[in-house]
Amino acid sequence: MNIQISERAERFLRQKIGSKSSPVRLVFDSEGCGCGVNGIPALWILPAQDEHDIILHSNGVPFLINRIHAVYFEEHLYLDSEETYPSFRLSGDSQLYGQNIRLLDKREDES
């Protein structure tokens, strides 16, 4: 799998990540959505990769995806953002996954 990141999205990601070397995980977040097949895409900044993550090839920021979540996404993904709006647009070759994808910093949760 790979993810093409626009320059604008990469700037926004790097600003949120800061000086630490932290990967971003693409997730299919089903918490509170009823069942495992209902969910929304989200981006999580993590303190480190875990054993169930696979690397998404990207043109910038390091990206990961949990092996289980990979089935919900296409092989080729595209991430963009708006200059004045703090969210992301995620699409694939055949569909739009969302125009208001959240970025959550999970590094504080690990402390």
Side-chain angles (χ1 to χ4, degrees), residues 40-42 73 78-81 87-92 95-102:
I40 58 171
F73 299 99
Y78 308 93
L79 188 70
D80 199 1
S81 67
S87 68
F88 295 88
R89 180 181 194 275
L90 181 68
S91 61
Q95 69 177 306
L96 174 65
Y97 291 97
Q99 296 188 102
N100 193 17
I101 307 294
R102 304 181 306 160

Side-chain angles (χ1 to χ4, degrees), residues 3-107:
I3 187 164
Q4 181 74 31
I5 307 165
S6 73
E7 288 181 23
R8 192 172 40 227
E10 183 170 3
R11 274 195 317 270
F12 185 56
L13 285 168
R14 290 194 185 280
Q15 176 186 17
K16 294 295 182 187
I17 292 169
S19 61
K20 294 183 179 177
S21 177
S22 299
V24 177
R25 182 187 293 153
L26 173 60
V27 298
F28 187 75
D29 191 358
S30 60
E31 187 173 319
C33 292
C35 73
V37 295
N38 292 329
I40 58 171
L43 302 171
W44 294 352
I45 302 172
L46 303 171
Q49 180 176 348
D50 78 25
E51 63 193 51
H52 303 291
D53 286 331
I54 55 176
I55 295 171
L56 288 177
H57 299 282
S58 78
N59 60 321
V61 174
F63 260 82
L64 308 169
I65 191 166
N66 184 292
R67 285 182 174 90
I68 294 169
H69 293 202
V71 300
Y72 297 107
F73 299 99
E74 295 177 48
E75 186 69 22
H76 304 285
L77 300 169
Y78 308 93
L79 188 70
D80 199 1
S81 67
E82 294 294 326
E83 199 67 48
T84 58
Y85 195 69
S87 68
F88 295 88
R89 180 181 194 275
L90 181 68
S91 61
D93 288 334
S94 64
Q95 69 177 306
L96 174 65
Y97 291 97
Q99 296 188 102
N100 193 17
I101 307 294
R102 304 181 306 160
L103 175 65
L104 299 174
D105 192 340
K106 295 288 192 168
R107 294 175 293 189

